[in-house]
Amino acid sequence: MTLRLLLAASTLALAAAAPLPKKGEPAITAQTQRSGGVLTAEQTALQFDSADLAFEVLPETQSLNGVATLTFTARVRLTRLPIDLDRNLPVSAIAIDGTPLPSSAWTNPEGRLIITLPKPVAAGKRVTARITYAGTPHVAVRAPWDDGMVWSKTPDGRTWFATTAEGYGCDLFWPCLDFPTGEPAVVTLHITVPPGLKAPSNGVLLGVDTLPDGRTRWNWRTKHPNTYAIALNVGPYEEISGTYKSRFGNSIPMHYWYLPGEKPQAEKLFAEFAPTLDFFESMIGPYPFADEKLGVVETPHKGMEHQTINAYGNEYAKAPEGFDWLFHHELAHEWFGNQLTAANWDDYWLHEGFGSYMQPLYGEWREGRARYAAMMQTQRAPIMNLKPITQQRVTTEEEVYELDKGGAGQDIYYKGSWMLHTLRGLIGDAAFFDATRLAVYGRPDPKPGNFKPRFGSTKEFEGFVRQVTGKDYGWFFDVYLRQAALPDLIERRTGNTLALSWIVPGGGAFPMPVEVQVDGKTQTVPMTDGKATLTVPATAHIVIDPDARILRRSIAIEEMQAWKAAQAKRPPS
Ligand SMILES: [Zn+2]
């Protein structure tokens, strides 16, 4: 069968009440699964000005109907538009600047929709593509660890639906540029849902229309969303809202959409919004999307940093630190991920390392050093050190998250966090937070209205650290970000001398100062050439790095990880 026949057949099958897709169905191509990576000249030629996205959500068939109107400015002369769109969403019509194209003008064999323009678009000129499509989008197996549609039911049997797209990308359900710099400047959403359901989404609510058939259409507008931040959420939600008076003088609307029957838990979670905002605004700077909202929606999957409509699925879990880590982590991404976005997946520790460091930092803000230390220790045990945090090349999402594709996997979270903890101890709070603020806002004095979402990189962050300290910390980042193994502090005690020396992967300089406690008295040993010899009484009790300021090799943790791995392999008794 030709492709077109296949498409016709699949459309017919859908019309004849096809069985609902199972988890992982329908299959997606390698192209759709891929997100980011090296861009073609054709892709970098597009400046994405706006996307107007209309969705009809059809829970009965677990399908979507879509009309996407995308406007681009040509950076160079264009003859084709290369758009990412899963081929499970066949295109039925395309119009360019209002003129319908013949169906021979586009192809989408593998999930890369190529539209041949009726006439070339000159550099600097705009072009608008209106793309009509419909189909059964891929159903996630284990969102958010993989991606796709999450079709679920509330406890009382009503539709509860969400999307996640961080890994496989926006092309799972709308035509987009599936790489981190593919952010449209503005996105307008029109989400049509069955009667009685709501569709909270990104940005500002423009209005809700009631259609003649009783369905409602939810219209939203958001600026500079991350490509994977655009999210559909549908359910019989109830809503709590309020206004936060910011220390920067502005007001921030806050909204939480939750399932019926959970009001007490929902109110407790909502009560965390204001103090969490105060923490971030005090430590980092203004909430980046104050002119839209702080939005959270309860989802049938764990969570995701969907800009201004964060997914929350932590089931109101309770923990000794007294706040919801998942709500906190996803909100951290509004600063580290959505305001500051890594232009290359290789630098995603900027999202996840900072995002993960913010929870212990909030523990410290609320309760002091002991809570901070306890939360940092929880993050220490899973650090694997199998691959460097960055590979210093343009990568796809999978090449970061999957170990067998060269990625550091979860080390971008906790090793990133511990690297930041170590850096903060090394350069001090003032320099650490100044460099962080520069990375997030691109300026030292962020105020509401004087910044926009921006793209950053590891190299840029290292430059900000150099700028605020006046020193080069290349030796530090070389070891923690560009080597897999941790620095190892070797201690040798003979008679009344204690010799300390750093052994680091790569063998470079590592002048990392170390605190040493001798009979209860702490001194800082400079370790200028990566080593030092101290005179200490032979009988003295010594504790190295008593406040655990430094991420370094721990044989205890290596042995624990090996033991756990061996236990996991044992057959059940
Ligand atoms: Zn995260």
Side-chain angles (χ1 to χ4, degrees):
M1 274 200 282
T2 66
L3 180 71
R4 206 160 291 283
L5 274 173
L6 260 174
L7 291 183
S10 69
T11 309
L12 278 176
L14 197 68
L20 296 178
K22 294 192 177 71
K23 287 184 175 185
E25 293 178 354
I28 53 173
T29 63
Q31 171 63 43
T32 295
Q33 194 157 334
R34 179 188 163 90
S35 193
V38 178
L39 304 182
T40 64
E42 236 177 7
Q43 289 175 301
T44 54
L46 299 178
Q47 176 192 303
F48 203 163
D49 299 326
S50 66
D52 184 286
L53 307 175
F55 296 97
E56 254 184 288
V57 180
L58 305 169
E60 298 294 309
T61 51
Q62 300 194 349
S63 60
L64 293 180
N65 292 338
V67 180
T69 307
L70 315 179
T71 300
F72 302 98
T73 299
R75 292 201 175 102
V76 297
R77 183 176 177 271
L78 297 177
T79 59
R80 315 195 306 175
L81 295 178
I83 310 287
D84 295 298
L85 179 64
D86 182 8
R87 66 181 184 182
N88 291 310
L89 298 164
V91 171
S92 58
I94 296 180
I96 296 293
D97 297 325
T99 305
L101 297 186
S103 59
S104 59
W106 72 84
T107 61
N108 187 12
E110 289 297 317
R112 172 65 54 79
L113 175 66
I114 301 287
I115 306 170
T116 303
L117 294 168
K119 59 180 195 305
V121 175
K125 296 290 183 203
R126 281 191 164 186
V127 58
T128 295
R130 186 175 192 273
I131 302 168
T132 306
Y133 63 97
T136 305
H138 178 78
V139 177
V141 177
R142 212 176 132 250
W145 292 277
D146 71 333
D147 287 305
M149 307 302 107
V150 185
W151 298 102
S152 186
K153 296 276 189 205
T154 60
D156 60 356
R158 288 186 282 175
T159 291
W160 190 20
F161 169 65
T163 58
T164 71
E166 188 193 19
Y168 300 159
C170 41
D171 53 347
L172 282 174
F173 65 103
W174 60 282
C176 63
L177 306 181
D178 183 16
F179 43 85
T181 52
E183 290 186 2
V186 60
V187 174
T188 310
L189 293 150
H190 314 278
I191 307 162
T192 299
V193 298
L197 301 180
K198 295 179 181 173
S201 193
N202 311 85
V204 171
L205 182 64
L206 304 177
V208 183
D209 309 318
T210 302
L211 306 187
D213 62 6
R215 293 186 299 168
T216 51
R217 181 169 54 213
W218 295 68
N219 305 296
W220 299 89
R221 181 164 295 151
T222 189
K223 285 177 282 182
H224 303 287
N226 271 18
T227 51
Y228 60 82
I230 296 297
L232 304 179
N233 302 283
V234 179
Y237 291 118
E238 289 177 4
E239 182 186 347
I240 305 176
S241 59
T243 302
Y244 176 72
K245 295 280 179 212
S246 163
R247 58 177 57 239
F248 289 95
N250 57 326
S251 295
I252 304 170
M254 303 184 295
H255 297 264
Y256 179 44
W257 286 271
Y258 63 96
L259 293 187
E262 298 179 352
K263 195 167 184 216
Q265 303 95 303
E267 280 175 343
K268 277 199 100 170
L269 184 68
F270 186 77
E272 294 187 25
F273 290 16
T276 308
L277 268 174
D278 189 34
F279 158 76
F280 280 111
E281 291 208 315
S282 302
M283 298 298 275
I284 311 298
Y287 178 65
F289 309 103
D291 57 351
E292 295 185 358
K293 69 177 181 299
L294 185 170
V296 180
V297 60
E298 189 176 1
T299 52
H301 63 85
K302 189 88 172 175
M304 186 54 70
E305 60 268 29
H306 295 145
Q307 195 167 315
T308 69
I309 189 70
N310 279 338
Y312 173 83
N314 203 28
E315 299 176 337
Y316 307 101
K318 297 297 167 200
E321 56 267 21
F323 64 91
D324 193 298
W325 74 269
L326 186 106
F327 158 71
H328 195 276
H329 180 88
E330 305 307 350
L331 193 67
H333 283 308
E334 298 287 25
W335 285 261
F336 304 99
N338 299 338
Q339 164 60 29
L340 164 65
T341 303
N344 173 4
W345 278 99
D346 192 43
D347 297 322
Y348 251 58
W349 72 268
L350 288 167
H351 296 204
E352 299 301 353
F354 271 109
S356 299
Y357 186 55
M358 290 300 122
Q359 289 85 65
L361 201 62
Y362 187 49
E364 181 181 358
W365 166 266
R366 284 165 49 90
E367 293 184 273
R369 299 287 304 181
R371 179 64 64 203
Y372 174 80
M375 293 180 75
M376 287 308 302
Q377 288 306 329
T378 305
Q379 293 188 355
R380 178 64 184 86
I383 297 174
M384 297 304 294
N385 306 301
L386 298 173
K387 296 283 170 56
I389 296 278
T390 73
Q391 303 170 50
Q392 302 173 79
R393 64 185 181 92
V394 177
T395 55
T396 64
E397 184 268 352
E398 293 179 325
E399 289 166 338
V400 175
Y401 275 84
E402 293 180 24
L403 290 167
D404 59 3
K405 292 185 175 156
Q410 69 174 6
D411 274 6
I412 67 169
Y413 293 73
Y414 301 136
K415 189 173 179 181
S417 174
W418 261 87
M419 182 277 285
L420 291 167
H421 160 74
T422 309
L423 179 67
R424 180 182 167 207
L426 181 64
I427 67 177
D429 276 15
F432 177 79
F433 288 106
D434 283 352
T436 300
R437 207 164 290 116
L438 283 166
V440 172
Y441 301 97
R443 57 187 303 160
D445 58 346
K447 290 179 188 66
N450 76 359
F451 61 88
K452 275 196 251 177
R454 63 188 305 274
F455 293 102
S457 69
T458 300
K459 280 287 167 200
E460 187 200 56
F461 179 68
E462 292 184 45
F464 287 140
V465 171
R466 198 181 312 120
Q467 182 184 322
V468 299
T469 60
K471 288 187 199 162
D472 188 273
Y473 286 98
W475 57 270
F476 175 93
F477 295 110
D478 281 347
V479 168
Y480 287 114
L481 295 180
R482 292 183 276 275
Q483 297 285 344
L486 289 176
D488 194 3
L489 185 63
I490 308 297
E491 314 160 25
R492 281 191 217 296
R493 222 173 148 184
T494 36
N496 58 357
T497 64
L498 168 67
L500 297 175
S501 60
W502 283 113
I503 295 183
V504 294
F510 198 70
M512 172 70 80
V514 179
E515 288 184 341
V516 177
Q517 198 180 69
V518 181
D519 278 337
K521 211 164 163 270
T522 302
Q523 55 181 295
T524 302
V525 181
M527 305 290 288
T528 313
D529 300 312
K531 52 181 186 267
T533 304
L534 286 78
T535 303
V536 294
T539 55
H541 178 63
I542 290 183
V543 181
I544 306 289
D545 190 23
D547 288 325
R549 292 182 187 277
I550 304 171
L551 175 59
R552 62 188 171 112
R553 185 177 178 209
S554 159
I555 289 168
I557 286 175
E558 289 172 10
E559 288 180 347
M560 180 204 69
Q561 290 173 344
W563 180 82
K564 281 194 169 175
Q567 290 292 107
K569 281 195 192 125
R570 274 173 37 167
S573 53

